[in-house]
Amino acid sequence: MSRITLTRFLIERQRDKQLINADLRLLIETVARACKAISHAVTKGSIAGNLGSAGTDNVQGEVQKKLDVLSNEILLEANEWGGNLAALASEEMEDPHPIPTHYPKGEYLLLFDPLDGSSNIDVNVSVGTIFSVLRCPKTETGGFCEPDEKAFLQPGTLQVAAGFAVYGPTTMLVLTVGDGTHAFTLDREMGSFILTRPDIRIPGDTQEFAINMSNMRHWEPPVKRYIDECLAGKTGVREKDFNMRWIASMVADVYRILTRGGVFMYPSDARNKSGRLRLMYEANPMSFIVEQAGGAATDGRTRLLEVKPEGLHQRIAVILGSKNEVDRITAYHKA
Ligand code: F6P
């Protein structure tokens, strides 16, 4: 059987479908190569001295793990010199990272969360890398504008590619360039990502939800109503039993939803009025991926991809997954 590697998949999107250009293809391949290196570092764990805290805090005030720092360095080093980027932004760094002046610059902006779910690393639960690609806005004279923070503040609808890697029992790369969502399995011996799940579709209905239940007392009424109805099961208004899964690693929770449906919620609540997850590094790329697989993504009131960002590290409520459930939760917010 002929296997479709990530390279072949991207060449087809460039040459046959003309969905991406050579620079974007190279950029995606470079990110994928960095993900292979991160996967290797995650898998080595203690053998390579990679576990534990780095002894520093990131821009979000969160304790950085050694692997957070290492993953960030791997992604920066891999992407600086290719000539296809105007700048990079990372969840781990306060300001955008300019391309060093001795390298050529390109038209794209890359954003990433180098190691999502990293609080799970030491307990050996799946973690991952999330990325999003935007175009650098042009000036009136047609040149590229200064790739400062403002250049990155574009709604998710303008993403030209998004993806995530999940470092689990197998390393998977999930990708969209706007023609569906596709997943690749890392063949470690060959060193290649192989297309194993083309055209992923998320079922419209589900009986599975993912939410951190320990925050229940802080939730807003629409979220409480939805979860109460799920918990009521067969004898309640939903007339069916629900199952709950919360891995506390967004990449793993979203990958499950891409596999068998479900709804993922990190809502805003009385303590975190703006939500907990990051719009630019988590919500936008995941929303693009989920929508391209037939799902939906909202903050409860607004389609996430249409939110106009106000800051690089802005937080937002996230509700995504099976479309009929997300629509129901949105309706509860509007009631
Ligand atoms: O943003 C990082 C993250 O680890 C997500 O991957 C995950 O969904 C969430 O935080 C877990 O949050 P909590 O610690 O509240 O369960």
Side-chain angles (χ1 to χ4, degrees), residues 116-117 119 212 215 246 248-250 264 266 276-278 282:
D116 186 69
S119 62
N212 184 341
N215 296 328
W246 181 250
S249 184
M250 191 187 195
F264 170 95
Y266 216 121
R276 156 118 159 63
L277 302 179
R278 263 56 59 144
E282 295 171 309

Side-chain angles (χ1 to χ4, degrees), residues 37-59:
I38 298 171
S39 171
H40 183 70
V42 168
T43 310
K44 282 273 172 195
S46 297
I47 297 170
N50 287 341
L51 297 191
S53 160
T56 45
D57 285 357
N58 67 8
V59 54

